[in-house]
Structure formats: C-alpha cells, structure tokens
Amino acid sequence: MAAGKPPVIQIRRVTKSYGHGDATVHALRGPSAPDGSPLGVSLDIEEGDFVAVMGSSGSGKSTLMNILGCLDVPTAGRYLLDGIDVGHLDEGQLSLVRNRKIGFVFQSFNLVPRTTALAQVELPLAYAGVRAAERRRRALAALSLVGLGERAGHKPNQLSGGQQQRVAVARALVTSPAMLLADEPTGNLDSHSTEEVLGIIDRLNASGRTVVMITHEDEVARHAKRVIRLVDGAIISDVRQAEVDGPPPALAVEVGV
C-alpha cells in the first residue's frame, strides 16, 4: 500500500436498523453502550487486503455487504469508499459509484441468457459510456485474465458453472474497480470449480486488487489475509492470516513463502 494512502474502506459507527420502537431490529449494531444502545460497527480495509466476512444467517454479514456495496445505506454512521463519503449521495450518484468503484461477484452468476461472454463483460463499460472498440479491447483482456479468452463467443448455456462464474469475475474487473466484492462466490460450484475461482481471486489480490468476500465456509475463508466474524450485528473477532502487502495464504503456500 502506498504510504499515507487512506484505506479503501472506512466505516465509522455504522448501524442499520429496521422497524420502530419496541419492534426495532438492529441488523448491524456493533458493541453496546452502557445504556444498551448500539455503538455501531467501525472498520478499515486497506488497499490490497483480502478480507473474508463470516457469520451465520442473521449475523449481519449480508447487511454489511449491502452497505459496503452501496446497495443500501446505513441508519447512522459514516462510510467512505476510496475516499468518497457515500452517505450524502443520491441514488444516481450511488449507481455511478457502484459502476466505477465496485466489482460485484454473486453466488448466482447473474449472467444474461443468450448473450456472449464478451458482451456480458462489456456491459458495465457500456453503462459507463466507453466506446465500442475500447469496450471490446478491455473485455477481451479481462476474459484472458480469468482464462476464458478462447470462450469470448460462448453463451452461458455453453459454459460450465465454474466458467460462468469466471465470466462474472471478468465482468466485475473490467471497470478496474477499487474493490472486488464477492458474495458467496463459490456457493453454487463443485469443488474443482471452487478451487479454480478462488485461485483467480487469489491471483487478483496478489496483483494488488482489494477483495472483500462474504462466506460461511472455513475452507473458503482460508484464502483470505484477514477474517472478520460477525454475530448479532457486531464484529466478535478480526484475525489477520497474512500481511496486506504479501501474497494471500494459499498462494504463499504454493510458492513456498
């Protein structure tokens, strides 16, 4: 990480609650004040880190992911993404931030049927107003990065589950986002495809990409440099497994670091 550069993610005393009065549910609350009120979640994620966020159903991990991904806004607190305070943005501005700053990879691939891999990966660039020739060049480069340069003309029904997820990873990368946000990215994959996709994410992180991955699987979390666990809307543990500036753990084992 460059000296003096602020974290990609800075969260300060963020809470998220639903309902009112006695029916209020605190999906994200952080530690409690002496009077029992929520103090909120605070978290920094540095450029180049690889963070796994873990927790059971109802722990708050999906709520945190939605806030990190600018898909939802906190009830209270501040969120700075790559130096931008997203709390003051309207929906149109949030949409721009999502398009330019965040690459999303979801469990369900979210590919468009009957559309080629190349066109899928070009889509975020089209939204961003990038010209056709440049879109094609960057999309082909992203597909090559995930080992699918030869499959650019294939549609989802001509690709395996692992290949479809790799197309989704290429689509997430093509805008050169500040952060790759992966929500259970291997949840629908067999063990071989899981290792392939995690290997790609490992290499992306090793090249400097910041990764935040939501998972409930210890095997998947072992790939991360840092593991955060949530229970009842609060961080209960934050364990570093590898240094921010080094390779992720699985790659470190491969190369004997």
Side-chain angles (χ1 to χ4, degrees), residues 103-105 111 117 120-122 124-125 138-148 163-177 180 200 204:
F104 292 97
V105 182
L111 299 182
Q120 311 266 2
V121 178
E122 285 184 345
L125 299 175
R138 287 170 62 178
L140 285 170
L143 283 168
S144 295
L145 198 62
V146 300
L148 290 178
Q163 289 169 335
Q164 289 183 59
Q165 190 60 298
R166 282 152 64 190
V167 171
V169 171
R171 181 182 59 193
L173 292 173
V174 77
T175 57
S176 300
L180 186 66
I200 288 166
L204 291 170

Side-chain angles (χ1 to χ4, degrees), residues 25-218:
V25 175
H26 295 289
L28 213 57
R29 58 172 297 121
S32 296
D35 66 358
S37 62
L39 289 172
V41 170
S42 295
L43 177 67
D44 283 356
I45 296 177
E46 307 288 346
E47 183 180 356
D49 210 351
F50 183 173
V51 179
V53 179
M54 301 193 73
S56 59
S57 179
S59 64
K61 71 179 190 297
S62 295
T63 302
L64 179 61
M65 190 214 77
N66 287 339
I67 289 171
L68 293 179
C70 298
L71 298 167
D72 201 355
V73 292
T75 302
R78 276 185 96 201
Y79 172 29
L80 274 71
L81 171 61
D82 207 24
I84 296 169
D85 188 340
V86 299
H88 304 298
L89 304 183
D90 61 30
E91 186 47 50
Q93 292 168 319
L94 281 173
S95 181
L96 277 176
V97 168
R98 284 194 295 270
N99 184 261
R100 294 175 183 174
K101 297 286 185 184
I102 306 166
F104 292 97
V105 182
F106 295 104
Q107 180 175 340
S108 55
F109 315 150
N110 288 355
L111 299 182
V112 183
R114 298 183 294 283
T115 302
T116 65
L118 181 64
Q120 311 266 2
V121 178
E122 285 184 345
L123 210 52
L125 299 175
Y127 286 138
V130 176
R131 291 175 182 273
E134 176 67 4
R135 283 204 309 265
R136 181 182 174 82
R137 185 190 69 76
R138 287 170 62 178
L140 285 170
L143 283 168
S144 295
L145 198 62
V146 300
L148 290 178
E150 309 273 309
R151 302 294 179 104
H154 286 57
K155 296 172 183 174
N157 63 358
Q158 299 170 307
L159 300 169
S160 70
Q163 289 169 335
Q164 289 183 59
Q165 190 60 298
R166 282 152 64 190
V167 171
V169 171
R171 181 182 59 193
L173 292 173
V174 77
T175 57
S176 300
M179 167 179 65
L180 186 66
L181 186 56
D183 183 15
E184 302 278 6
T186 60
N188 283 341
L189 302 179
D190 61 34
S191 57
H192 175 71
S193 297
T194 290
E195 284 307 310
E196 277 189 347
V197 169
L198 288 174
I200 288 166
I201 292 174
D202 283 344
R203 292 191 293 277
L204 291 170
N205 175 251
S207 69
R209 180 77 59 212
T210 307
V211 179
V212 178
M213 181 166 63
I214 312 295
T215 184
H216 66 276
E217 296 180 61
D218 288 324

